[in-house]
Structures are given as structure tokens and as C-alpha cells.
């Protein structure tokens, strides 16, 4: 059975439609092949890069070489610094004790004088005349006394026989006693005149150095008051007066009561530094502490006695006083050049048992010779880095060699010098032999001349 649907008629003059082939799109096929080739090339290069061997790692840096020294524990003196002023052990004013014209000076100003040495002569004429009058009065009084005694002796037997009245005899006895008193008074006047005559010879009442004369010859002295003529200062020994703040005194007493510090051997001592900075070669002792606080300054006055055989210390001289007031046991010390000052305080580098560097924060006290006194942050026997800490990092391994101090090379070469009790402390003493290196520390390398620095190339 034939279908009723007949095919649609083709339009005349037209070709049937077909899908385009590769020959119809020559540029499209080339682009596809190029993309495939690029993808394959990229994958090949990626695989080649992944299979390339890694470059060798740089060699590890050798440990930094540092010089170390163990911290140590000692009994150190407690030193307080003050500004003091020298005063004469005894300062005596020479004054004119009688009135008269100063005739002559018998000493050279500024020299040593002895006790009893003649210094001045005052005109003695008036006082010699007074003495002569007093002696004459003694002679007259003695004559009257002799006459009264003879009368009393004559009346004594007569009164027993009632030849004279009892009243006459009593008057004779009274006259004797009155003349005895007159003789004593006259003799006193003689002594007084002799004393005043002696005062016309002004003598030194102390041994020491005499100052400048304050009154020239020819001037009237002693008119209404004892004129000050000059001054004699005893300069062996001398006093050094200084003050301590009341707050420091309280802290010191509290530390003594708690046992943190103890009384120094030999008592409190004082060391003096002269105005030119040199140290005085004698030690003094504290001999006076005031019992009151000055309300104007809030300080307590103290005084030390200093031997002064060469008279290097002169009255009025300002000096620096190191007052060794006590001793502190078990104090940790490290060289000054091992301690680093930072904006936040002080630090030190410590080498632990594994040979690694560790940074420590410190609380430091005073300088003692070439060392720092460590209050907190470090114990005795720990290995501290003294030289070479500039290249350290926390936890970095190091190679430690022992450090030996050299005279004058420490950081405290110009520091305040204080000698612990019993320490030698003598300038110019031979340096001690270097100690053996502690366990775990390498021996120091031999000293070699540093190589010349190569000139830096400019970029």
C-alpha cells in the first residue's frame, strides 16, 4: 500500500544542504592542532621541572667564639659616697687678754709653732707699775700685821691679871685678824698684777700651723674685748665632716637589723679622694654621728678622723669620701664589661650547660673595682659572656673559651675604686696567673696578629 504522503518537491536550481567538512575549514583545524601541541609542550616542561634535582643547602654557620668567665660570690664592703669638707682637729684663736699697744710679732706667718712659744709682745709698762704698787701694799700690810701681833702678845698676860679690860684685849685680837686679811688681799693683788703682766707676752696655747696675723704692730688691742690676733690649727690628725640623708640612714639600719649586711671588720672606715681625683693613702675612722636630723636639709652629720702626717689635707678642702660602713656576704660579682646597658635596664649573656646563649635581665648595684655588684638575676658560678656577645642570638650554640682580665683593660678602669676588707688592692701589684679553664670550656686560642682588613669595593 502506497503512502499518501508524497515527497516535497525540490526547488529547481539549488543543491541539497550538507555539513561543512575539514576541507571547508582549513584555519580551524590548524588552530586545534596548535593548541594540542602547546598543551603537550607545557605538560612536558612541567614534568621536566618537577624531575630537576634540588640545589645543595648552604653549610651551617660555625658556632660563635665567645670569651666567658664564671660569676663569683664574695663578701664585699658596703660603700657610701659623700662629699666631705676637711676641718682642723683643733682650731685655737689667739687673743689679747689685756689692753695695750701691740709692740712686736715674734713668729713667721704660716709656719709651725709649739705650745708656749712667744707670739706677740704688748707694752708691759703699765702692768709692771701695777705690780710694783701691789708689792708695796703687801709690805705695808705685813708691817701693820706685825705691830698688831706684838700688841696682842703684850695684852695677853695683862688681861689674865685684870690689869686691862677684857675689851682692850679683844680689840687687839681683832686688829691682828684684820691685818692678816689685808696682807692676804695685798698678796692677791700682787698675783693679779703678775698675771696681767704675763698676759703682755702672748704665747701659743696649741701646737700647730699658725695663720696670718690679723692685727699689725702698733695698734691698741684688748680695749673692751679680747682682740683676735691670729689662729693656730692643729693638722695632725684632721676631721672630715660629711652628711648622710635621713632616708639612707633608715635603709642602712633596716638592712643591718635584717642581717642583709653586717658590721664591717675593724669598725666603720673612711677613704678620701683629693680634689685632683687621687686617692689619699691613709684610712680614717668614723668617730661621731649626730643624734639629730637637720630640719633644713634632712641630713645627719657624720665625722671621720683622718691621719695627716704630711699635711696634705688642709682645713676647708672639699674631698670625696667613701664611707665603708658595713659588709655584705654572698654578693654576686661579674666583670663590668660583661654587663650591657639597654634602654630598659641591664642584661648579660649566659652560656647554659648545652652550650647555648641565653639573655638575662639584671638588677645591678654599685661598682666594686672592675666589677658590677648583681642584686638580682644571676647566681654564683654561672658562665657569663665577657667578650663577643655582639654576635649572639638567644638559643644559638657557641664555642666558649675562658676570659682572662688584663690590667687596665676592664670597663671599670675609671670606675670608683673600693677595696674589700682584707683585699690587697695595691696598685701595681703583679697580676695573678690565669686560672685553669672550667669544665666544658675550651682553652683560649693563642694570640695572633689580626689580618689586615681588605678594602671594601664600592658598588
Amino acid at each position: 500500500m502506497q503512502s499518501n504522503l508524497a515527497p516535497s518537491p525540490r526547488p529547481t536550481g539549488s543543491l541539497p544542504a550538507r555539513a561543512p567538512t575539514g576541507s571547508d575549514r582549513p584555519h580551524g583545524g590548524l588552530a586545534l592542532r596548535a593548541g594540542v601541541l602547546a598543551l603537550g609542550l607545557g605538560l612536558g616542561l612541567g614534568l621536566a621541572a618537577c624531575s630537576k634535582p634540588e640545589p645543595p643547602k648552604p653549610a651551617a654557620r660555625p658556632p660563635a667564639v665567645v670569651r666567658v668567665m664564671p660569676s663569683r660570690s664574695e663578701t664585699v664592703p658596703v660603700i657610701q659616697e659623700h662629699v666631705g669638707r676637711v676641718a682642723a682637729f683643733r682650731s685655737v684663736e689667739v687673743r689679747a687678754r689685756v689692753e695695750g699697744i701691740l709692740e712686736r710679732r715674734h713668729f713667721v706667718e704660716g709656719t709651725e709653732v709649739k705650745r708656749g712659744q712667744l707670739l706677740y709682745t704688748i707694752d708691759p709698762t703699765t702692768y709692771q707699775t701695777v705690780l710694783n704698787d701691789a708689792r708695796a701694799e703687801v709690805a705695808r700690810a705685813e708691817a701693820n700685821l706685825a705691830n698688831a701681833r706684838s700688841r696682842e702678845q703684850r695684852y695677853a698676860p695683862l688681861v689674865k691679871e685684870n690689869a686691862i679690860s677684857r675689851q682692850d684685849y679683844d680689840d687687839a685680837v681683832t686688829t691682828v685678824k684684820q691685818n692678816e686679811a689685808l696682807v692676804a688681799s695685798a698678796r692677791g693683788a700682787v698675783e693679779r698684777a703678775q698675771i696681767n703682766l704675763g698676759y703682755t707676752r702672748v704665747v701659743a696655747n696649741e701646737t700647730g700651723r699658725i695663720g696670718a696675723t690679723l692685727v699689725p704692730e702698733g695698734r691698741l688691742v684688748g680695749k673692751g674685748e679680747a682682740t683676735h690676733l691670729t689662729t693656730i690649727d692643729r693638722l695632725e690628725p684632721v676631721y672630715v665632716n660629711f652628711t648622710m640623708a635621713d632616708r639612707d640612714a633608715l635603709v642602712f639600719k633596716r638592712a643591718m637589723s635584717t642581717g642583709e649586711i653586717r658590721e664591717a671588720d675593724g669598725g666603720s672606715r673612711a677613704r678620701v679622694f683629693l680634689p685632683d681625683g687621687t686617692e689619699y693613702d691613709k684610712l680614717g675612722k668614723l668617730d661621731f654621728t649626730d643624734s639629730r636630723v637637720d630640719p633644713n636639709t634632712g641630713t645627719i652629720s657624720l665625722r671621720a678622723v683622718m691621719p695627716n702626717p704630711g699635711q696634705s689635707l688642709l682645713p676647708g678642702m672639699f674631698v670625696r669620701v667613701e664611707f665603708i660602713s658595713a659588709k655584705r656576704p654572698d654578693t654576686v660579682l661579674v666583670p663590668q664589661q660583661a654587663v650591657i646597658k639597654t634602654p630598659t635596664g641591664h642584661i648579660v649573656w649566659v652560656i647554659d650547660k648545652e652550650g647555648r646563649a641565653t639573655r638575662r635581665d639584671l638588677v645591678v648595684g654599685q661598682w666594686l673595682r672592675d666589677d658590677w655588684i648583681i642584686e638580682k638575676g644571676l647566681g654564683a658560678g654561672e658562665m657569663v659572656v665577657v667578650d663577643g656577645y655582639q654576635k649572639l642570638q638567644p638559643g644559638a650554640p657557641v664555642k666558649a673559651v675562658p676570659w682572662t682580665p688584663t690590667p687596665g683593660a676592664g670597663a671599670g678602669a675609671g670606675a670608683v675604686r673600693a677595696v674589700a676588707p682584707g683585699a690587697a688592692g695595691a696598685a701595681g701589684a703583679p697580676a695573678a696567673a690565669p686560672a685553669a679553664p672550667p669544665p666544658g670550656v675550651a682553652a683560649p686560642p693563642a694570640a695572633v696578629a689580626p689580618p689586615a682588613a681588605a678594602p671594601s669595593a664600592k658598588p
Side-chain angles (χ1 to χ4, degrees):
M1 179 175 178
Q2 294 183 347
S3 172
N4 294 327
L5 296 176
S8 60
R10 295 178 183 179
T12 59
S14 63
L15 296 177
R18 61 185 178 89
T21 62
S23 59
D24 297 327
R25 297 175 298 169
H27 299 290
L30 290 176
L32 179 59
R33 284 195 295 270
V36 173
L37 289 175
L39 179 60
L41 181 60
L43 291 175
L45 292 175
L47 293 175
C50 293
S51 61
K52 186 177 180 180
E54 295 182 0
K57 295 181 179 180
R61 296 180 59 183
V65 178
V66 295
R67 297 185 181 272
V68 300
M69 181 179 183
S71 59
R72 65 190 190 279
S73 176
E74 294 182 2
T75 297
V76 300
V78 177
I79 301 175
Q80 302 174 1
E81 291 189 12
H82 306 277
V83 176
R85 192 171 186 179
V86 180
F89 184 79
R90 186 176 292 118
S91 185
V92 178
E93 294 181 350
V94 178
R95 293 182 176 270
R97 303 176 70 174
V98 292
E99 180 181 345
I101 301 299
L102 190 65
E103 287 189 340
R104 186 177 178 187
R105 173 170 56 88
H106 300 274
F107 66 92
V108 178
E109 297 170 308
T111 60
E112 293 289 325
V113 297
K114 301 293 183 180
R115 185 183 184 91
Q117 179 178 335
L118 179 62
L119 302 179
Y120 296 96
T121 300
I122 300 174
D123 182 14
T125 305
T126 303
Y127 300 97
Q128 184 64 52
T129 302
V130 173
L131 176 61
N132 294 337
D133 291 343
R135 287 172 176 171
E137 187 64 27
V138 169
R140 183 173 59 183
E142 288 177 346
N144 292 335
L145 176 61
N147 183 33
R149 282 177 177 173
S150 63
R151 179 181 299 179
E152 186 271 336
Q153 291 173 358
R154 291 195 302 267
Y155 283 181
L158 297 177
V159 73
K160 293 179 181 179
E161 298 176 357
N162 294 325
I164 61 173
S165 66
R166 187 71 184 180
Q167 181 64 43
D168 293 338
Y169 179 75
D170 291 342
D171 291 342
V173 173
T174 302
T175 303
V176 169
K177 293 182 179 180
Q178 289 177 348
N179 282 278
E180 288 176 348
L182 291 175
V183 169
S185 176
R187 289 175 179 173
V190 170
E191 293 180 0
R192 189 162 46 252
Q194 288 175 337
I195 292 174
N196 289 334
L197 181 62
Y199 285 160
T200 62
R201 294 171 53 87
V202 182
V203 297
N205 49 3
E206 182 60 69
T207 298
R209 181 179 295 185
I210 195 166
T213 185
L214 304 178
V215 179
E217 293 90 339
R219 181 175 295 182
L220 178 65
V221 296
K223 182 66 174 179
E225 63 177 3
T227 306
H228 185 191
L229 302 178
T230 187
T231 302
I232 300 175
D233 293 323
R234 181 177 173 182
L235 302 181
E236 169 51 30
V238 293
Y239 287 131
V240 176
N241 299 307
F242 57 97
T243 59
M244 176 189 293
D246 51 2
R247 178 183 178 277
D248 294 340
L250 291 175
V251 172
F252 177 79
K253 290 184 178 179
R254 189 177 298 114
M256 287 286 288
S257 62
T258 58
E260 180 182 350
I261 60 177
R262 302 173 185 173
E263 185 177 355
D265 298 333
S268 300
R269 296 171 295 162
R271 187 184 303 276
V272 168
F273 291 81
L274 301 177
D276 60 356
T278 58
E279 180 182 347
Y280 188 61
D281 59 352
K282 305 292 183 182
L283 283 177
K285 295 191 66 175
L286 185 73
D287 80 323
F288 169 73
T289 302
D290 201 350
S291 59
R292 297 183 178 183
V293 176
D294 188 338
N296 298 320
T297 60
T299 57
I300 301 174
S301 298
L302 297 95
R303 186 180 67 194
V305 181
M306 302 292 299
N308 192 30
Q311 297 188 359
S312 301
L313 301 176
L314 299 176
M317 180 184 293
F318 285 96
V319 295
R320 180 164 57 89
V321 181
E322 283 188 355
F323 175 42
I324 306 173
S325 55
K327 63 181 180 180
R328 177 180 297 169
D330 304 327
T331 302
V332 178
L333 302 174
V334 296
Q336 289 184 20
Q337 67 186 76
V339 179
I340 307 169
K341 182 72 171 71
T342 66
T344 58
H346 296 79
I347 66 168
V348 73
W349 288 93
V350 179
I351 306 303
D352 58 18
K353 296 180 179 180
E354 289 75 20
R356 297 184 178 275
T358 305
R359 171 175 164 166
R360 293 276 188 88
D361 294 323
L362 302 177
V363 177
V364 298
Q366 298 176 333
W367 283 1
L368 182 68
R369 299 184 295 273
D370 292 338
D371 298 322
W372 271 112
I373 294 177
I374 305 302
E375 302 285 353
K376 294 180 181 178
L378 192 68
E382 297 193 65
M383 303 303 280
V384 298
V385 178
V386 182
D387 188 17
Y389 48 71
Q390 296 85 354
K391 46 195 172 184
L392 293 182
Q393 295 292 333
V398 298
K399 180 182 178 181
V401 296
W403 175 79
T404 302
T406 56
V416 176
R417 184 177 175 219
V419 179
V441 178
V448 296
S456 59
K458 295 183 178 180

